[in-house]
Amino acid sequence: MASQSLRLSKSRFLAGLQCHKQLWWRVHEPDAPELVPDAALRNVLNQGNEVGRRAREYVPGGELVDLPFYQFDNKVAQTRDILRREPSPPALYEATFLADDTYAAVDILERGPRGYEVVEVKATNRLKPEHLPDVALQVHVLRRAGLQVERAAVMHLNPECRYPDLSTLFVREDVSAPVEGVLLGLPDELAAQQRMLEGPLPQVPIGDHCTRPHDCPFLERCWPKLPDHHVSSLYRIERKQALQYEADGYATIYELPSDLELSVIHQRQVRAVTAGRMVVEPALAQALAQFGSPLAFLDFETVSLAIPRWDGCRPWQNVPVQFSCHVEAHGRGLLHDECLADGASDPRPALAEALVAACAGARKVVAYYASFERDCIRQLAEAVPRLAKELQRIEKKLVDLLPLVRNHVYHPDFGGSFSIKRTLPALVPGLSYADLRIGEGETATLELMRLMFDEELQPAERAELREALLRYCERDTWAMVKMLAKLRTLVAEQLELF
Ligand code: SF4
C-alpha cells in the first residue's frame, strides 16, 4: 500500500497520463511555485465550481457529501454511510471512494434500476477526448470499491442554450461505451504511476505532450531557453516546420539559407531581422488610403461567463461590457469617449447608446483585429434592436489596422507577433502598457468580472479597479492613434527618399 501522500487522485492520475515527470513533481513538490493557480486558472476553477453546483439542480433529490475537498478519508466514510442507509437517496453529489490506493470523487452519482451511473460535470461547451480517462478512472475506482456501475455520462454546457431559458443549460452525453474501452488499459497505467512515484524523478523527454491536452506548469523547468529570433519565432510557424528547420541546421532566422521558399510575411521578417532594422513596403502608402478622416478608433473589452446572465447570451459567450473610443473631431483635435459596465445588470443597452453617440461623426472606425470589434457590435445590435440600424452603419465603417501592419511592416522587435502589445512599443518607442496596473487583455477580462460580480468589493477598491480598467482600454485606442500616425510618417519618409 502506498503512503497516504503518494496516493493517487483523479487529478493526479490525469497529470500522470500527460507526463510521469509532471506527476512526480506534483506529488513530491506540492508547494512548487509553478503549482500556485494564477488568476486565469482561479477564474476557470471558480466558474467550474459554479457549474458543478448548478448541475445538481438538473439531477434533483440527491444528497451532498458536504465536507472540504481535502478531507478525503472523511468523505469516503460519509459516502459509505449514505449508501448504506435505507432508503439511500436517488443521487449523491461529490460521493468519494478509495480503491487501489486511488481516490475518486464523483460529481453526480445517480442510482438506476440495475446499478449506478457516474456523471462527470464539465464546464465546457462540448465533450472532449480528455474527459474519457477522467470518467474511466472514476468508474474503475467505484467498481473496485464494490459498487455496481452500469453507465457513465459527461454532462457539459450546451452552446445552443440561450438565457433566460436555462432548462437546456446542460447536455448529458452517454460515454459508457468509450469509457469501457479506456478501462482496458487503465489498471496497468495506474500501477505504473504508483511504481514511478516510489522511485526517483523519471526522465521524460520534452515533446508535444507538454502542451496537450493542457500546458504543463513545468514548461520552464524542462524546455531550454531559445536564442533570440529562433526559427520558432517565424510568424505563426507550425511546430513541425520549426523542428524541421532546426533538424536541417537552421536554429535561428539568421541561419536560414537565402533560397528557402518562404511566405511573403516570413520573407519580410527574415529581411528585417537579418538587416537589424524595420522593413516598410512601398505599398503601405496606397493601403493607408482607406483610413480617411474623420476617424474613430474603437476597442472593446468583454467578459465570458460559463452560465449566461443576460438575454440571448449562451455559455462562455464573449459579451462586450466596455469600450474606449478616440474620435477625430473637426477643428477640435481628438476627443475621447468611454463606457464601462457598472454592476451585474445587462451592460449592453448603455454600451450601445454610448457607442452610437461616440461614432456619430466618424467616416471610418479603426480597430486592431477588427473581427473582434465586428462581433461585439453585432452582439450589441442583437441585444438592442432599436439601435440596430445605427450599429450596423458603424460595423460597415470598420477598417482594420492589424492587416495593414502585418502586410506592410516588420520590425525585428515584433518577435514574430503582430499583437498590439508587441507592435506598439516597436513602432512607437516610449509607448507601451508597462506603466499600467492592468497591462493585458486576459487580466482585463478577469478584473472586469471582479468589478461587475464581486459583491464584496469595497468602494475604494472598486473605484481604483474601475480607473485601472478605463486606462487600459483607453491605451488600446490611443495606441492605434499613435500607430497610424507613425505609419503615415513612414510613408512620408519613403516619399522623401524618392
Ligand atoms: S514540461 Fe513536458 S516533460 Fe517536463 S514535466 Fe511537463 S510535460 Fe513533462
Side-chain angles (χ1 to χ4, degrees):
M1 185 192 282
S3 78
Q4 190 138 359
S5 66
L6 295 188
R7 276 182 180 163
L8 289 176
S9 63
K10 196 177 69 169
S11 57
R12 283 183 172 181
F13 173 74
L14 295 174
L17 215 50
Q18 181 171 359
C19 172
H20 278 196
K21 193 178 189 179
Q22 183 196 138
L23 173 60
W24 195 95
W25 271 327
R26 280 183 183 274
V27 172
H28 291 280
E29 287 186 42
D31 297 325
E34 294 95 332
L35 296 176
V36 177
D38 60 13
L41 182 56
R42 282 203 305 276
N43 172 47
V44 170
L45 294 174
N46 288 343
Q47 296 218 49
N49 289 339
E50 177 62 29
V51 169
R53 279 192 293 275
R54 188 62 77 96
R56 292 171 203 155
E57 296 169 13
Y58 293 75
V59 186
E63 186 168 336
L64 176 65
V65 177
D66 196 8
L67 289 166
F69 79 93
Y70 50 84
Q71 289 191 20
F72 291 112
D73 289 326
N74 290 342
K75 290 182 77 165
V76 171
Q78 191 172 334
T79 300
R80 199 183 310 122
D81 289 347
I82 296 172
L83 287 173
R84 279 181 186 156
R85 201 190 304 148
E86 280 295 339
S88 67
L92 274 80
Y93 314 130
E94 298 299 323
T96 307
F97 298 84
L98 172 64
D100 291 350
D101 275 324
T102 305
Y103 293 103
V106 184
D107 290 329
I108 299 172
L109 182 65
E110 195 172 24
R111 191 153 43 82
R114 284 180 299 281
Y116 286 89
E117 175 163 1
V118 165
V119 182
E120 171 67 12
V121 178
K122 290 292 180 197
T124 53
N125 273 344
R126 62 183 173 87
L127 177 67
K128 296 183 179 181
E130 62 264 29
H131 295 161
L132 296 178
D134 183 331
V135 181
L137 192 269
Q138 297 171 53
V139 173
H140 172 82
V141 170
L142 268 61
R143 284 180 179 163
R144 295 281 296 153
L147 213 73
Q148 178 76 24
V149 178
E150 55 164 350
R151 289 161 64 90
V154 169
M155 195 169 156
H156 61 80
L157 293 165
N158 177 9
E160 305 304 323
C161 169
R162 295 284 183 279
Y163 189 90
D165 179 10
L166 297 185
S167 62
T168 57
L169 181 61
F170 289 99
V171 175
R172 186 160 158 170
E173 287 197 46
D174 186 343
V175 293
S176 306
V179 159
E180 292 299 337
V182 177
L183 278 167
L184 296 175
L186 196 140
D188 286 349
E189 175 59 25
L190 211 50
Q193 290 189 13
Q194 285 162 336
R195 272 196 310 277
M196 177 277 297
L197 284 174
E198 281 166 7
L201 178 70
Q203 295 308 308
V204 180
I206 57 173
D208 284 346
H209 67 278
C210 297
T211 49
R212 285 187 207 153
H214 307 290
D215 277 355
C216 172
F218 299 109
L219 286 170
E220 280 192 20
R221 289 195 192 187
C222 295
W223 283 70
K225 189 167 165 13
L226 298 177
D228 285 349
H229 302 298
H230 186 262
V231 283
S232 61
S233 72
L234 281 163
Y235 173 62
R236 283 194 175 170
I237 190 172
E238 283 188 10
R239 191 174 129 75
K240 213 168 123 196
Q241 180 65 70
L243 287 173
Q244 187 58 54
Y245 285 154
E246 262 196 315
D248 293 343
Y250 318 129
T252 66
I253 289 175
Y254 301 107
E255 294 153 69
L256 291 172
S258 54
D259 59 350
L260 201 63
E261 267 193 36
L262 295 169
S263 71
V264 175
I265 294 174
H266 284 174
Q267 284 174 28
R268 191 177 307 117
Q269 183 174 357
V270 172
R271 268 159 56 212
V273 168
T274 50
R277 60 174 178 76
M278 178 156 56
V279 169
V280 182
E281 301 294 347
L284 178 62
Q286 202 184 350
L288 274 169
Q290 61 182 309
F291 293 79
S293 290
L295 294 170
F297 297 81
L298 176 64
D299 180 73
F300 282 105
E301 301 300 330
T302 58
V303 295
S304 178
L305 299 169
I307 302 174
R309 287 173 177 244
W310 304 310
D311 282 352
C313 290
R314 59 183 187 277
W316 291 118
Q317 182 171 334
N318 282 322
V319 185
V321 297
Q322 178 183 12
F323 77 78
S324 164
C325 189
H326 277 92
V327 192
E328 291 176 343
H330 189 65
R332 287 185 294 156
L334 273 171
L335 302 181
H336 182 238
D337 267 304
E338 58 193 5
C339 185
L340 170 56
D342 210 352
S345 59
D346 188 349
R348 295 169 297 172
L351 219 61
E353 295 261 7
L355 183 66
V356 168
C359 294
R363 187 166 149 215
K364 293 286 177 187
V365 178
V366 186
Y368 200 90
Y369 186 54
S371 61
F372 182 75
E373 270 62 38
R374 178 167 291 111
D375 183 55
C376 290
I377 295 170
R378 283 182 183 169
Q379 281 193 54
L380 293 180
E382 214 171 289
V384 192
R386 70 191 157 80
L387 293 175
K389 281 217 167 67
E390 283 97 324
L391 290 163
Q392 281 155 7
R393 272 198 285 277
I394 295 174
E395 188 199 326
K396 284 198 185 111
K397 293 179 186 175
L398 278 173
V399 279
D400 200 341
L401 197 52
L402 186 147
L404 187 84
V405 176
R406 187 175 52 205
N407 296 332
H408 300 93
V409 183
Y410 194 88
H411 189 293
D413 290 350
F414 287 179
S417 163
F418 292 95
S419 83
I420 202 165
K421 306 294 182 293
R422 290 305 290 264
T423 55
L424 176 66
L427 287 175
V428 188
L431 187 61
S432 73
Y433 293 76
D435 58 317
L436 298 178
R437 181 184 145 188
I438 294 170
E440 49 82 37
E442 191 168 20
T443 309
T445 299
L446 299 172
E447 293 292 50
L448 277 166
M449 303 233 320
R450 210 155 67 85
L451 181 78
M452 295 178 74
F453 307 119
D454 185 349
E455 287 162 5
E456 286 167 20
L457 208 58
Q458 297 302 306
E461 199 184 347
R462 177 177 295 278
E464 206 181 299
L465 187 52
R466 217 183 139 72
E467 180 61 17
L469 285 160
L470 288 169
R471 298 296 66 83
Y472 169 71
C473 198
E474 181 187 22
R475 182 63 52 87
D476 273 335
T477 48
W478 183 241
M480 284 189 267
V481 171
K482 300 301 278 182
M483 276 173 76
L484 189 61
K486 173 70 179 192
L487 295 173
R488 285 176 170 148
T489 308
L490 291 173
V491 166
E493 285 169 358
Q494 271 187 337
L495 290 174
E496 276 171 23
L497 285 176
F498 292 105

